[in-house]
Amino acid sequence: MNYSIALVPGDGIGPEVIAPATEVLDAVGDRYGHVFNYVELEAGGAAIDSTGEPLPAATLEAATQCDALLLGAVGGPRWENLPGHLRPERALLGLRAALEVYANLRPAVLLPQLRSACPLKDEVLSASNHEGRAAFDLLIVRELTGGLYFGKRGRLEEESDGHRPGAAFDTETYSWREIERVLRRAYAAAALRRKKLCVVDKANVLESSRYWREVTAAVSGDYPEIETSFMYVDNCAMQLIRGPGQFDVIVTSNLFGDILSDEASVLTGSIGMLPSASLGDIVGGRPRGMYEPIHGSAPDIAGQDIANPLGTILSAAMMLRYSFGLEAEALAVEDAVGAVLDSGYRTRDIAARSAAGGEKIVGTQAMGKAVVELLETTRNF
Ligand code: IPM
Ligand code: MG
């Protein structure tokens, strides 16, 4: 089969982590007889520099026509002082909104090979894990196209607190439909996992959170095999570091999901390991999808060949699974990443805190090459 992939390398380490991901995809294509056609698109700071706007109409148009979109990262200090609507981040938000990819799946898994890169103590990890293992496997489902990120916002010039004139506001608004569709996605994900869903909110204070609970009460009846629970977001932030093993699927609003997924990522050893899939409605049997590592553009390490490409490679695996329905291929890539770690390859960010024997510290490109090489040794290949 032929697949068209919109490729948005973006800024900072974006292009460096996208390149190995395409090499891995090409190796998968060769082996399984697929052709991946890349349509490289400009967005973010790179697009601001060449066109004056973060999300040129041509990018948006092409992105909606491809089968899936793979993005590196956008943003950087060079564009930080631009007004809100011209910042590189607008490109991300604009793509998410235009593609209507409302369900953002962010798996946070502590692989046994990276145990020593996790900052939690053994007692904490194994105590929270129902199987007594020093590892965890959770999935954050973040609502991605609503809430505070897209609510009414503005400035109130006439207001005054007596010192300086003016005020600013952002609003959290969620419709029943927006909540229901992301909840159903989260329930579907939980059904394929350990069958636990935790709705994270601030229902003791926020009306919008109380509305999430109402919608959950109505929807949960359709999923009797899933155990539904609720947790306040402040408690969840604490529970994630007290015992991440207690969670299976967490579903939450756009802002809370943004914050909690960064927190969860540190527990996996490095933010550089975490992939994400942003999914929309099912069209022609498959959801619209946009795939990106969660780490961002990391301008401080850009251009040095030290960034970890595994988050992007694992995002490409999610693309194979969700957008193209290529489960065996996705597993092959995930297995290859495991095999690379088993072989001791580490980018700097996931190197053991204390010197451990057998580790080979490699750069971005070498890590990508190692995954391609080890692909051939995995059981699914
Ligand atoms: C993320 C990022 C983005 C977000 C930024 C870059 C706009 O932090 O994908 O988590 O807040 O959604
Ligand atoms: Mg974030």
Side-chain angles (χ1 to χ4, degrees):
M1 272 276 283
N2 279 20
Y3 300 93
S4 63
I5 300 175
L7 217 53
V8 181
D11 310 315
I13 59 171
E16 291 171 69
V17 293
I18 283 287
T22 59
E23 284 167 24
V24 170
L25 284 170
D26 290 340
V28 168
D30 285 348
R31 165 65 181 79
Y32 286 89
H34 309 301
V35 178
F36 300 113
N37 295 311
Y38 305 107
V39 182
E40 193 161 327
L41 303 172
E42 261 186 356
I48 295 174
D49 289 348
S50 67
T51 70
E53 44 181 340
L55 186 55
T59 294
L60 202 51
E61 170 76 22
T64 51
Q65 278 166 19
C66 288
D67 295 326
L69 188 149
L70 182 65
L71 183 139
V74 296
R78 276 181 51 204
W79 306 282
E80 215 134 72
N81 295 321
L82 291 168
H85 67 288
L86 286 179
R87 289 178 61 113
E89 289 80 1
R90 290 306 310 169
L92 256 190
L93 304 182
L95 282 168
R96 290 171 180 172
L99 299 174
E100 262 200 281
V101 284
Y102 52 81
N104 181 215
L105 275 47
R106 298 190 162 189
V109 181
L110 177 59
L111 301 170
Q113 300 96 319
L114 296 184
R115 171 64 193 94
S116 62
C118 168
L120 299 183
K121 290 184 186 143
D122 272 340
E123 316 72 281
V124 175
L125 277 179
S126 39
S128 74
N129 190 302
H130 53 108
E131 284 153 19
R133 282 185 296 120
F136 60 85
D137 177 351
L138 62 92
L139 173 70
I140 297 178
V141 179
R142 167 188 177 192
E143 198 292 324
L144 201 62
T145 53
L148 210 52
Y149 276 58
F150 291 94
K152 198 163 181 280
R153 68 179 53 136
R155 298 285 174 120
L156 303 171
E157 298 305 340
E158 70 278 11
E159 297 268 316
S160 168
D161 62 4
H163 299 285
R164 290 176 64 160
F169 66 96
D170 296 275
T171 48
E172 174 96 338
T173 305
Y174 269 113
S175 67
W176 184 285
R177 174 176 161 268
E178 285 176 309
I179 302 167
E180 179 176 349
R181 64 186 182 178
V182 73
L183 277 176
R184 290 196 184 277
R185 267 293 158 71
Y187 272 113
L192 299 173
R193 297 172 47 99
R194 298 194 306 277
K195 304 195 169 34
K196 281 168 52 179
L197 181 81
C198 182
V199 180
V200 172
D201 61 26
K202 190 70 190 171
N204 49 347
V205 179
L206 302 178
E207 196 55 32
S208 53
S209 291
R210 290 191 274 270
Y211 200 51
W212 271 73
R213 291 200 179 199
E214 259 176 72
V215 180
T216 310
V219 167
S220 59
D222 293 345
Y223 305 91
E225 75 285 14
I226 311 284
E227 176 199 321
T228 305
S229 62
F230 298 92
M231 191 181 277
Y232 297 144
V233 63
D234 47 352
N235 185 25
C236 182
M238 182 173 74
Q239 295 301 332
L240 274 173
I241 50 170
R242 281 189 65 190
Q246 68 189 279
F247 296 106
D248 181 16
V249 177
I250 287 173
V251 61
T252 190
S253 66
N254 205 340
L255 182 70
F256 294 163
D258 178 45
I259 299 168
L260 294 175
S261 59
D262 264 32
E263 183 186 356
S265 76
V266 181
L267 307 179
T268 69
S270 166
I271 193 168
M273 290 299 299
L274 261 66
S276 79
S278 305
L279 306 177
D281 278 336
I282 314 257
V283 194
R286 295 277 152 218
R288 254 193 321 279
M290 172 168 162
Y291 302 84
E292 47 179 317
I294 81 152
H295 52 59
S297 63
D300 52 321
I301 60 162
Q304 300 173 43
D305 192 44
I306 55 176
N308 184 346
L310 295 181
T312 313
I313 290 170
L314 291 170
S315 299
M318 292 183 93
M319 178 172 72
L320 294 171
R321 169 172 298 123
Y322 293 112
S323 279
F324 307 153
L326 301 175
E327 180 65 23
E329 289 84 336
L331 280 172
V333 173
E334 288 162 355
D335 281 356
V337 168
V340 157
L341 296 172
D342 283 339
S343 305
Y345 291 103
R346 300 283 186 273
T347 42
R348 249 182 25 171
D349 56 311
I350 48 173
R353 274 150 218 279
S354 55
E359 288 196 350
K360 298 183 262 274
I361 311 292
V362 293
T364 313
Q365 296 182 31
M367 188 58 129
K369 301 247 174 320
V371 176
V372 169
E373 255 163 50
L374 287 171
L375 255 178
E376 274 131 47
T377 68
T378 64
R379 70 191 144 94
N380 293 295
F381 212 68

